[in-house]
Amino acid sequence: MNKEIKNIAIIGTGVIGNGWIARFIAKGYNVTAFDLAEGAEERTRAMLNRVWPSLKELGISDIASQDNLSFVTTLEEAVATADYVQENVPEREELKKSVLQSIDANTNPNVIIGSSTSGIMPSTLQDGLKNPERLIVAHPFNPVYILPLVEIVGGEKTSKETIERADALLTAIAMKPLIVTKEIEGHIADRLMEALWREALHLVNDGIATTEEVDKAIIYGAGLRWAQMGPFMTFHLAGGDAGMRHMLEQFGPALKLPWTKLEAPELTDELKERVITGSEKSAGNLSVAELEEKRNEFLVKQLELVADYWPVFSNKSE
């Protein structure tokens, strides 16, 4: 646990906000949450009960308790005693700016403010803040309470100290911070995933593959390798004894072939229906909640396997 930071404020308790809550609570922090949506607290507490077994298997703090979570009725009350604030409101620039400005106005200037935005650059969000140097993007991945990656992105006015403190905090809750040193829309991981998503939509739209076939291609092919190695290390092995040098010489020219499409296809009603019905067919009789439970069990086992092969990537606390 980070000794400097003990009290966390979570603003917005949708899927991502709740994921943050679960991770911080599991690591022994006090969390104060705020969300205007009716039934928000009930949904969050039900989620905590549902995922607690997965959190225990990953490793929770000796002082972790669901009683360390409290909900309040105003943003000002939520951030009043916070040492760190994580904003998770919908991905609308003006809404995020407004909420971040309220957080900025009601917290001590040394409190770090993180935004979970998946695409907006931090310099944009810093506009209008009195203390912009303490704002970062802290972009996690769903489910936040299991997946360790978090992208830390500073804006033009973010201080080096803020980045370092955020890195220390997020490492303390068993995350694997990726510090993005140059701002770009969508950061790093989402840009990679979006490229694959666009190509998948083209394959379905052009009648080349079904949603089930696209998923199968990833599950039993690239996905298995990517869980252990990223694309560069995967292609390094593809080059044989000479590694990446031979791989680029042999397969580099193929990059010029028109195998992929950079722009996404138009999301027509027909394409939507193909994607929706295909996904529902693959889900079978399982509800989203049941699918989430199966996913969580798989990811916990997968993280343990990754740690066995790559100890530096272990997600368990010391």
Side-chain angles (χ1 to χ4, degrees):
M1 184 173 180
N2 187 294
K3 296 180 180 179
E4 175 196 4
I5 297 175
K6 298 179 180 179
N7 299 314
I8 307 297
I10 302 295
I11 308 301
T13 60
V15 172
I16 298 301
N18 277 342
W20 279 114
I21 289 173
R23 183 173 279 274
F24 276 115
I25 288 292
K27 297 306 176 184
Y29 290 78
N30 298 314
V31 177
T32 303
F34 168 70
D35 195 312
L36 286 172
E38 186 176 350
E41 180 173 359
E42 290 76 9
R43 285 190 293 274
T44 297
R45 294 195 183 279
M47 178 276 306
L48 274 177
N49 286 328
R50 193 168 60 248
V51 306
W52 204 250
S54 294
L55 293 169
K56 281 186 173 180
E57 190 167 349
L58 284 169
I60 64 175
S61 168
D62 292 338
I63 59 173
S65 171
Q66 294 186 40
D67 293 336
N68 291 336
L69 169 65
S70 60
F71 269 75
V72 293
T73 57
T74 66
L75 181 148
E76 290 78 12
E77 188 179 358
V79 304
T81 60
D83 301 311
Y84 177 86
V85 181
Q86 185 71 29
E87 168 272 312
N88 316 278
V89 301
E91 198 79 353
R92 299 198 299 271
E93 184 178 314
E94 291 309 313
L95 173 61
K96 281 190 177 289
K97 280 185 173 182
S98 175
V99 170
L100 290 168
Q101 287 169 16
S102 294
I103 295 171
D104 184 46
N106 288 280
T107 51
N108 189 297
N110 69 343
V111 172
I112 301 172
I113 303 173
S115 173
S116 292
T117 179
S118 59
I120 305 173
M121 294 194 294
S123 290
T124 300
L125 297 176
Q126 286 176 329
D127 184 36
L129 299 185
K130 294 181 179 179
N131 300 284
E133 70 283 349
R134 41 82 168 262
L135 179 112
I136 57 164
V137 164
H139 175 234
F141 295 84
N142 186 43
V144 183
Y145 50 87
I146 294 179
L147 293 183
L149 181 64
V150 56
E151 294 174 314
I152 298 178
V153 195
E156 293 176 358
K157 298 177 182 178
T158 304
S159 69
K160 181 181 178 182
E161 180 189 7
T162 296
I163 297 290
E164 292 173 347
R165 291 174 61 212
D167 185 17
L169 169 65
L170 297 172
T171 298
I173 59 172
M175 300 192 88
K176 298 296 179 185
L178 170 59
I179 298 176
V180 182
T181 57
K182 188 172 182 178
E183 289 182 90
I184 188 171
E185 294 91 345
H187 322 315
I188 294 175
D190 270 359
R191 292 180 73 94
L192 295 171
M193 289 188 289
E194 282 293 324
L196 180 61
W197 175 234
R198 286 193 296 269
E199 191 63 27
L201 288 174
H202 274 295
L203 291 170
V204 173
N205 188 57
D206 296 344
I208 295 166
T210 64
T211 58
E212 183 181 13
E213 289 165 345
V214 170
D215 284 349
K216 187 175 182 178
I218 298 299
I219 292 170
Y220 299 111
L224 286 173
R225 296 184 301 193
W226 289 343
Q228 183 190 14
M229 300 178 177
F232 286 103
M233 188 59 69
T234 295
F235 284 130
H236 180 63
L237 269 64
D241 291 341
M244 183 64 81
R245 184 176 301 279
H246 177 66
M247 185 273 173
L248 290 177
E249 291 174 353
Q250 183 172 354
F251 299 106
L255 293 172
K256 295 294 184 180
L257 297 176
W259 283 1
T260 59
K261 302 179 181 181
L262 293 177
E263 294 185 5
E266 182 181 352
L267 207 55
T268 62
D269 289 341
E270 181 182 1
L271 176 55
K272 287 181 183 178
E273 195 58 30
R274 285 187 189 179
V275 172
I276 293 168
T277 56
S279 300
E280 290 176 345
K281 179 182 177 182
S282 294
N285 295 323
L286 295 175
S287 67
V288 170
E290 290 169 327
L291 288 169
E292 286 180 342
E293 185 176 352
K294 286 183 175 293
R295 176 202 63 190
N296 291 352
E297 292 174 359
F298 178 83
L299 288 176
V300 169
K301 293 177 181 178
Q302 190 177 41
L303 279 174
E304 292 172 349
L305 183 61
V306 170
D308 286 341
Y309 281 89
W310 298 94
V312 70
F313 294 143
S314 174
N315 193 41
K316 289 191 175 183
S317 301
E318 295 293 335

